[in-house]
Amino acid sequence: MAQLSGKTALVTGGTSGIGLATAQRLAAEGAHVFVTGRTQDRVDAAVAAIGDGATGVAGDVTQFADLDRLADAIGQRGEGLDVIFANAGGGEFATLEDETPEHLAATFDRNVGGTVFTVQKMLPLLNEGASVILAGSTSATAGIPAFGAYAASKAAIRSLGRTWAAELADRKIRVNTVVPGPVETPGLKGLAPSGQEQALLAGEAAKVPMGRIGQPSEIASAVLFLASDQSSFMTGAEMFVDGGAAQV
């Protein structure tokens, strides 16, 4: 039997990269997957790629009205929610010298605020025994020049995962954080100047003990594990999927 048969899942930032790969994997394991993204055309393309077991809701996780619409759409299905993968987020380079209030606020609004209020809005829908998976980053434990705002926002996510695991334990809701290393995604490539994407990927691969960067499907497998009963005795944990980058 499929691991998530009869379950309902939500993947934010699910139109490309890790989010899309995860939505596809959860659907393949029997879940009905709600997927979000900021533009309708990309959401429609994601739903087409996922197949029949998907519903797309365009919206921005930093906008309360969009989160309300998302919660309404999930609630109208009448099955509650069994899995959240709070994946939406991102970052751009800025050194301490170049940091601005606008950049810092936008980074935390997207990565921290977006995660906090996505999970908050979905709380009434979460079924007993649900699994909440937060998107961390190895950046939170490594000093990467010019990536301070992003790294700090992901350190906050790790802390929130611990707190929510304690707060939601009485509802038998588990909260864990998946921590990817460098993964070949549009987001990672987008950090490179035009024409230097492959050089960036090669540079990241050189930092990984396994000698390569990850693929979105590999992170999706880890999220599936955390979403399923295979991880039934895990909560408040941090699961690294990084080729050893933060371990060796």
Side-chain angles (χ1 to χ4, degrees), residues 93-129:
F93 289 121
T95 65
L96 173 59
E97 183 179 13
D98 294 333
E99 188 62 85
T100 65
E102 293 77 15
H103 175 259
L104 186 67
T107 301
F108 271 74
D109 189 32
R110 178 172 40 184
N111 295 343
V112 181
T115 298
V116 168
F117 295 113
T118 293
V119 177
Q120 182 191 75
K121 292 286 188 181
M122 302 306 144
L123 278 179
L125 297 169
L126 286 174
N127 296 321
E128 182 175 291

Side-chain angles (χ1 to χ4, degrees), residues 46-66:
V47 169
I50 296 163
D52 292 338
T55 299
V57 181
D60 187 331
V61 295
T62 68
Q63 302 299 312
F64 282 11
D66 289 352

Side-chain angles (χ1 to χ4, degrees), residues 182 204-213 242-248:
E204 291 298 314
K207 303 172 187 175
V208 178
M210 291 183 70
R212 65 177 180 85
I213 61 173
D242 65 349
Q247 315 305 316
V248 179

Side-chain angles (χ1 to χ4, degrees), residues 24-46:
Q24 291 174 309
R25 186 65 188 277
L26 300 183
E29 289 291 335
H32 185 94
V33 182
F34 284 83
V35 62
T36 75
R38 285 180 289 182
T39 63
Q40 189 66 54
D41 58 339
R42 295 186 67 181
V43 169
D44 291 344

